[in-house]
Amino acid sequence: MMRILVTGFEPFGGQSLNPSWEVARALQGTSQDGAQDAQLVAVQLPCVFAQALPALQDALANHRPDIVLALGQAEGRCDFSVERVAINVMDARIPDNAGDQPIDVPVIAGGPAAYFSTLPIKALVSGLRASGFAASVSQTAGTFVCNQVFYALQHTLAGQGVHSGFVHLPLLPEQAAGWPGPSLPSWPVSVQVAAAQRALALLVAHRQQGLADLAMGGGTLN
Ligand code: PCA
């Protein structure tokens, strides 16, 4: 049986919702198209540098997943934003939920500068677009708690054959409505959940078929 771990974050930055957790918890217990025998567990991670990695390690040890889809909120992103790379630095523009704000501290001292996603990121983007969901490859997951979790996830699972990676999600409409400053894009939770469900079905099928990722452009000029 295919074991899937989906993580989402608690709200942060003064918000009362985080789309990543709303999506993760909605997925819990659902079956994925084409993956009837998959078992999905959703785990919430604290948006606290000092607590997120222990929670992630617990989830990995408890569920021993074949596929990990880590989700986070990225205000300003307008689509299902599939991260390519995690970098070994924490540089927090705002304090985390415990008031901690590390500047230029490695996620893992002595670790490599970066890890790539081991998800088929191009196939994911292509498959989502074919199903009507806006999606793209993102070249940076930032330097806050999402990137920290993504880096530690890839570091922990390196060489184990698990398919793992990170996706940033747009705001929910109720968040965007109250957001200060210029308007930001948002997706209703139903659309976010449907996109994530499609993504998981693609990931499961891809893994079951042992396919390589698509060679499709997903870069940016700058
Ligand atoms: N987004 C933040 C942290 C938690 C979340 O959902 C980030 O992008 O780092």
Side-chain angles (χ1 to χ4, degrees), residues 50-76:
Q51 295 170 17
L53 300 193
L56 174 69
Q57 301 298 356
D58 277 357
L60 292 173
N62 290 339
H63 304 303
R64 301 184 317 283
D66 302 293
I67 295 174
V68 184
L69 183 62
L71 302 172
Q73 163 189 318
E75 53 275 16

PDB file of all heavy atoms in Angstrom, residues 50-76:
ATOM      1  N   ALA A  50      11.939  26.353  15.958  1.00  0.00           N
ATOM      2  CA  ALA A  50      12.462  25.386  16.918  1.00  0.00           C
ATOM      3  C   ALA A  50      11.576  24.152  17.059  1.00  0.00           C
ATOM      4  O   ALA A  50      12.008  23.151  17.636  1.00  0.00           O
ATOM      5  CB  ALA A  50      12.640  26.057  18.283  1.00  0.00           C
ATOM      6  N   GLN A  51      10.339  24.235  16.547  1.00  0.00           N
ATOM      7  CA  GLN A  51       9.410  23.111  16.739  1.00  0.00           C
ATOM      8  C   GLN A  51       9.039  22.385  15.449  1.00  0.00           C
ATOM      9  O   GLN A  51       8.536  21.255  15.489  1.00  0.00           O
ATOM     10  CB  GLN A  51       8.121  23.620  17.405  1.00  0.00           C
ATOM     11  CG  GLN A  51       8.346  24.151  18.803  1.00  0.00           C
ATOM     12  CD  GLN A  51       7.114  24.859  19.354  1.00  0.00           C
ATOM     13  OE1 GLN A  51       6.007  24.700  18.844  1.00  0.00           O
ATOM     14  NE2 GLN A  51       7.313  25.645  20.390  1.00  0.00           N
ATOM     15  N   ALA A  52       9.231  23.022  14.325  1.00  0.00           N
ATOM     16  CA  ALA A  52       8.741  22.435  13.066  1.00  0.00           C
ATOM     17  C   ALA A  52       9.490  21.147  12.715  1.00  0.00           C
ATOM     18  O   ALA A  52       8.867  20.168  12.285  1.00  0.00           O
ATOM     19  CB  ALA A  52       8.866  23.453  11.932  1.00  0.00           C
ATOM     20  N   LEU A  53      10.818  21.150  12.921  1.00  0.00           N
ATOM     21  CA  LEU A  53      11.570  19.960  12.499  1.00  0.00           C
ATOM     22  C   LEU A  53      11.310  18.750  13.388  1.00  0.00           C
ATOM     23  O   LEU A  53      11.130  17.642  12.859  1.00  0.00           O
ATOM     24  CB  LEU A  53      13.063  20.264  12.380  1.00  0.00           C
ATOM     25  CG  LEU A  53      13.415  21.361  11.365  1.00  0.00           C
ATOM     26  CD1 LEU A  53      14.904  21.369  11.072  1.00  0.00           C
ATOM     27  CD2 LEU A  53      12.607  21.247  10.087  1.00  0.00           C
ATOM     28  N   PRO A  54      11.248  18.906  14.725  1.00  0.00           N
ATOM     29  CA  PRO A  54      10.857  17.738  15.533  1.00  0.00           C
ATOM     30  C   PRO A  54       9.491  17.183  15.134  1.00  0.00           C
ATOM     31  O   PRO A  54       9.300  15.965  15.080  1.00  0.00           O
ATOM     32  CB  PRO A  54      10.842  18.293  16.971  1.00  0.00           C
ATOM     33  CG  PRO A  54      11.785  19.451  16.937  1.00  0.00           C
ATOM     34  CD  PRO A  54      11.689  20.033  15.556  1.00  0.00           C
ATOM     35  N   ALA A  55       8.551  18.067  14.834  1.00  0.00           N
ATOM     36  CA  ALA A  55       7.217  17.605  14.425  1.00  0.00           C
ATOM     37  C   ALA A  55       7.296  16.874  13.082  1.00  0.00           C
ATOM     38  O   ALA A  55       6.639  15.840  12.883  1.00  0.00           O
ATOM     39  CB  ALA A  55       6.254  18.789  14.337  1.00  0.00           C
ATOM     40  N   LEU A  56       8.113  17.397  12.185  1.00  0.00           N
ATOM     41  CA  LEU A  56       8.291  16.729  10.888  1.00  0.00           C
ATOM     42  C   LEU A  56       8.931  15.353  11.083  1.00  0.00           C
ATOM     43  O   LEU A  56       8.488  14.355  10.494  1.00  0.00           O
ATOM     44  CB  LEU A  56       9.172  17.596   9.980  1.00  0.00           C
ATOM     45  CG  LEU A  56       9.559  16.969   8.644  1.00  0.00           C
ATOM     46  CD1 LEU A  56       8.338  16.835   7.732  1.00  0.00           C
ATOM     47  CD2 LEU A  56      10.654  17.778   7.953  1.00  0.00           C
ATOM     48  N   GLN A  57       9.976  15.299  11.905  1.00  0.00           N
ATOM     49  CA  GLN A  57      10.667  14.011  12.122  1.00  0.00           C
ATOM     50  C   GLN A  57       9.719  12.983  12.734  1.00  0.00           C
ATOM     51  O   GLN A  57       9.734  11.805  12.357  1.00  0.00           O
ATOM     52  CB  GLN A  57      11.898  14.196  13.038  1.00  0.00           C
ATOM     53  CG  GLN A  57      12.952  15.166  12.524  1.00  0.00           C
ATOM     54  CD  GLN A  57      13.594  14.757  11.205  1.00  0.00           C
ATOM     55  OE1 GLN A  57      13.315  13.687  10.669  1.00  0.00           O
ATOM     56  NE2 GLN A  57      14.428  15.616  10.653  1.00  0.00           N
ATOM     57  N   ASP A  58       8.890  13.410  13.679  1.00  0.00           N
ATOM     58  CA  ASP A  58       7.890  12.503  14.273  1.00  0.00           C
ATOM     59  C   ASP A  58       6.963  11.960  13.195  1.00  0.00           C
ATOM     60  O   ASP A  58       6.659  10.767  13.162  1.00  0.00           O
ATOM     61  CB  ASP A  58       7.020  13.252  15.298  1.00  0.00           C
ATOM     62  CG  ASP A  58       7.701  13.330  16.653  1.00  0.00           C
ATOM     63  OD1 ASP A  58       8.801  12.766  16.794  1.00  0.00           O
ATOM     64  OD2 ASP A  58       7.120  13.968  17.557  1.00  0.00           O
ATOM     65  N   ALA A  59       6.495  12.862  12.340  1.00  0.00           N
ATOM     66  CA  ALA A  59       5.542  12.453  11.300  1.00  0.00           C
ATOM     67  C   ALA A  59       6.195  11.449  10.350  1.00  0.00           C
ATOM     68  O   ALA A  59       5.583  10.445   9.968  1.00  0.00           O
ATOM     69  CB  ALA A  59       5.047  13.678  10.525  1.00  0.00           C
ATOM     70  N   LEU A  60       7.454  11.692   9.995  1.00  0.00           N
ATOM     71  CA  LEU A  60       8.148  10.775   9.086  1.00  0.00           C
ATOM     72  C   LEU A  60       8.357   9.413   9.743  1.00  0.00           C
ATOM     73  O   LEU A  60       8.157   8.367   9.122  1.00  0.00           O
ATOM     74  CB  LEU A  60       9.498  11.361   8.661  1.00  0.00           C
ATOM     75  CG  LEU A  60       9.432  12.600   7.766  1.00  0.00           C
ATOM     76  CD1 LEU A  60      10.823  13.187   7.552  1.00  0.00           C
ATOM     77  CD2 LEU A  60       8.788  12.269   6.418  1.00  0.00           C
ATOM     78  N   ALA A  61       8.744   9.443  11.028  1.00  0.00           N
ATOM     79  CA  ALA A  61       8.996   8.180  11.736  1.00  0.00           C
ATOM     80  C   ALA A  61       7.699   7.402  11.955  1.00  0.00           C
ATOM     81  O   ALA A  61       7.661   6.182  11.827  1.00  0.00           O
ATOM     82  CB  ALA A  61       9.681   8.469  13.071  1.00  0.00           C
ATOM     83  N   ASN A  62       6.623   8.122  12.253  1.00  0.00           N
ATOM     84  CA  ASN A  62       5.353   7.443  12.539  1.00  0.00           C
ATOM     85  C   ASN A  62       4.714   6.865  11.284  1.00  0.00           C
ATOM     86  O   ASN A  62       4.085   5.817  11.341  1.00  0.00           O
ATOM     87  CB  ASN A  62       4.354   8.414  13.186  1.00  0.00           C
ATOM     88  CG  ASN A  62       4.770   8.784  14.595  1.00  0.00           C
ATOM     89  OD1 ASN A  62       5.548   8.059  15.218  1.00  0.00           O
ATOM     90  ND2 ASN A  62       4.267   9.904  15.088  1.00  0.00           N
ATOM     91  N   HIS A  63       4.830   7.574  10.178  1.00  0.00           N
ATOM     92  CA  HIS A  63       4.048   7.178   8.998  1.00  0.00           C
ATOM     93  C   HIS A  63       4.881   6.521   7.903  1.00  0.00           C
ATOM     94  O   HIS A  63       4.328   5.921   7.002  1.00  0.00           O
ATOM     95  CB  HIS A  63       3.299   8.396   8.449  1.00  0.00           C
ATOM     96  CG  HIS A  63       2.429   9.038   9.477  1.00  0.00           C
ATOM     97  ND1 HIS A  63       1.446   8.342  10.136  1.00  0.00           N
ATOM     98  CD2 HIS A  63       2.405  10.288   9.994  1.00  0.00           C
ATOM     99  CE1 HIS A  63       0.855   9.142  11.012  1.00  0.00           C
ATOM    100  NE2 HIS A  63       1.429  10.328  10.952  1.00  0.00           N
ATOM    101  N   ARG A  64       6.210   6.645   7.968  1.00  0.00           N
ATOM    102  CA  ARG A  64       7.096   6.011   6.977  1.00  0.00           C
ATOM    103  C   ARG A  64       6.523   6.108   5.557  1.00  0.00           C
ATOM    104  O   ARG A  64       6.247   5.103   4.896  1.00  0.00           O
ATOM    105  CB  ARG A  64       7.364   4.552   7.362  1.00  0.00           C
ATOM    106  CG  ARG A  64       8.014   4.414   8.733  1.00  0.00           C
ATOM    107  CD  ARG A  64       8.362   2.984   9.088  1.00  0.00           C
ATOM    108  NE  ARG A  64       7.334   2.006   8.744  1.00  0.00           N
ATOM    109  CZ  ARG A  64       6.200   1.814   9.442  1.00  0.00           C
ATOM    110  NH1 ARG A  64       5.971   2.529  10.532  1.00  0.00           N
ATOM    111  NH2 ARG A  64       5.339   0.919   9.047  1.00  0.00           N
ATOM    112  N   PRO A  65       6.349   7.346   5.085  1.00  0.00           N
ATOM    113  CA  PRO A  65       5.656   7.541   3.807  1.00  0.00           C
ATOM    114  C   PRO A  65       6.499   7.167   2.588  1.00  0.00           C
ATOM    115  O   PRO A  65       7.732   7.174   2.638  1.00  0.00           O
ATOM    116  CB  PRO A  65       5.375   9.051   3.802  1.00  0.00           C
ATOM    117  CG  PRO A  65       6.463   9.634   4.646  1.00  0.00           C
ATOM    118  CD  PRO A  65       6.765   8.610   5.706  1.00  0.00           C
ATOM    119  N   ASP A  66       5.800   6.867   1.495  1.00  0.00           N
ATOM    120  CA  ASP A  66       6.431   6.702   0.182  1.00  0.00           C
ATOM    121  C   ASP A  66       6.461   8.034  -0.564  1.00  0.00           C
ATOM    122  O   ASP A  66       7.313   8.257  -1.407  1.00  0.00           O
ATOM    123  CB  ASP A  66       5.625   5.710  -0.672  1.00  0.00           C
ATOM    124  CG  ASP A  66       5.499   4.367   0.000  1.00  0.00           C
ATOM    125  OD1 ASP A  66       6.533   3.699   0.142  1.00  0.00           O
ATOM    126  OD2 ASP A  66       4.379   4.004   0.408  1.00  0.00           O
ATOM    127  N   ILE A  67       5.446   8.859  -0.266  1.00  0.00           N
ATOM    128  CA  ILE A  67       5.324  10.171  -0.898  1.00  0.00           C
ATOM    129  C   ILE A  67       5.057  11.198   0.194  1.00  0.00           C
ATOM    130  O   ILE A  67       4.209  10.968   1.068  1.00  0.00           O
ATOM    131  CB  ILE A  67       4.155  10.193  -1.914  1.00  0.00           C
ATOM    132  CG1 ILE A  67       4.435   9.239  -3.078  1.00  0.00           C
ATOM    133  CG2 ILE A  67       3.888  11.615  -2.431  1.00  0.00           C
ATOM    134  CD1 ILE A  67       3.276   9.089  -4.051  1.00  0.00           C
ATOM    135  N   VAL A  68       5.773  12.310   0.151  1.00  0.00           N
ATOM    136  CA  VAL A  68       5.493  13.411   1.078  1.00  0.00           C
ATOM    137  C   VAL A  68       5.195  14.656   0.265  1.00  0.00           C
ATOM    138  O   VAL A  68       6.010  15.083  -0.569  1.00  0.00           O
ATOM    139  CB  VAL A  68       6.681  13.710   2.017  1.00  0.00           C
ATOM    140  CG1 VAL A  68       6.286  14.802   3.030  1.00  0.00           C
ATOM    141  CG2 VAL A  68       7.146  12.455   2.741  1.00  0.00           C
ATOM    142  N   LEU A  69       4.028  15.226   0.520  1.00  0.00           N
ATOM    143  CA  LEU A  69       3.676  16.512  -0.088  1.00  0.00           C
ATOM    144  C   LEU A  69       3.550  17.510   1.055  1.00  0.00           C
ATOM    145  O   LEU A  69       2.601  17.463   1.831  1.00  0.00           O
ATOM    146  CB  LEU A  69       2.351  16.395  -0.854  1.00  0.00           C
ATOM    147  CG  LEU A  69       1.912  17.651  -1.600  1.00  0.00           C
ATOM    148  CD1 LEU A  69       2.908  18.058  -2.672  1.00  0.00           C
ATOM    149  CD2 LEU A  69       0.525  17.448  -2.220  1.00  0.00           C
ATOM    150  N   ALA A  70       4.553  18.369   1.177  1.00  0.00           N
ATOM    151  CA  ALA A  70       4.534  19.399   2.212  1.00  0.00           C
ATOM    152  C   ALA A  70       3.939  20.667   1.603  1.00  0.00           C
ATOM    153  O   ALA A  70       4.321  21.066   0.500  1.00  0.00           O
ATOM    154  CB  ALA A  70       5.939  19.652   2.733  1.00  0.00           C
ATOM    155  N   LEU A  71       2.996  21.262   2.323  1.00  0.00           N
ATOM    156  CA  LEU A  71       2.273  22.434   1.819  1.00  0.00           C
ATOM    157  C   LEU A  71       2.520  23.635   2.714  1.00  0.00           C
ATOM    158  O   LEU A  71       2.692  23.499   3.935  1.00  0.00           O
ATOM    159  CB  LEU A  71       0.761  22.145   1.802  1.00  0.00           C
ATOM    160  CG  LEU A  71       0.298  20.946   0.967  1.00  0.00           C
ATOM    161  CD1 LEU A  71      -1.190  20.676   1.223  1.00  0.00           C
ATOM    162  CD2 LEU A  71       0.550  21.194  -0.515  1.00  0.00           C
ATOM    163  N   GLY A  72       2.497  24.819   2.111  1.00  0.00           N
ATOM    164  CA  GLY A  72       2.622  26.052   2.886  1.00  0.00           C
ATOM    165  C   GLY A  72       1.896  27.188   2.186  1.00  0.00           C
ATOM    166  O   GLY A  72       1.604  27.104   0.981  1.00  0.00           O
ATOM    167  N   GLN A  73       1.608  28.207   2.939  1.00  0.00           N
ATOM    168  CA  GLN A  73       0.984  29.420   2.386  1.00  0.00           C
ATOM    169  C   GLN A  73       2.055  30.350   1.830  1.00  0.00           C
ATOM    170  O   GLN A  73       3.089  30.567   2.465  1.00  0.00           O
ATOM    171  CB  GLN A  73       0.227  30.133   3.509  1.00  0.00           C
ATOM    172  CG  GLN A  73      -0.134  31.581   3.210  1.00  0.00           C
ATOM    173  CD  GLN A  73      -0.679  32.290   4.432  1.00  0.00           C
ATOM    174  OE1 GLN A  73      -1.478  31.737   5.190  1.00  0.00           O
ATOM    175  NE2 GLN A  73      -0.255  33.522   4.659  1.00  0.00           N
ATOM    176  N   ALA A  74       1.806  30.898   0.663  1.00  0.00           N
ATOM    177  CA  ALA A  74       2.684  31.954   0.133  1.00  0.00           C
ATOM    178  C   ALA A  74       1.807  33.092  -0.362  1.00  0.00           C
ATOM    179  O   ALA A  74       1.308  33.058  -1.497  1.00  0.00           O
ATOM    180  CB  ALA A  74       3.567  31.418  -0.986  1.00  0.00           C
ATOM    181  N   GLU A  75       1.611  34.079   0.484  1.00  0.00           N
ATOM    182  CA  GLU A  75       0.788  35.220   0.100  1.00  0.00           C
ATOM    183  C   GLU A  75       1.402  35.904  -1.117  1.00  0.00           C
ATOM    184  O   GLU A  75       2.611  36.114  -1.175  1.00  0.00           O
ATOM    185  CB  GLU A  75       0.628  36.198   1.275  1.00  0.00           C
ATOM    186  CG  GLU A  75       1.913  36.663   1.912  1.00  0.00           C
ATOM    187  CD  GLU A  75       2.431  35.708   2.983  1.00  0.00           C
ATOM    188  OE1 GLU A  75       1.993  34.545   3.045  1.00  0.00           O
ATOM    189  OE2 GLU A  75       3.308  36.135   3.760  1.00  0.00           O
ATOM    190  N   GLY A  76       0.571  36.155  -2.112  1.00  0.00           N
ATOM    191  CA  GLY A  76       1.057  36.765  -3.346  1.00  0.00           C
ATOM    192  C   GLY A  76       1.181  35.782  -4.498  1.00  0.00           C
ATOM    193  O   GLY A  76       1.088  36.183  -5.655  1.00  0.00           O
TER     194      GLY A  76
END
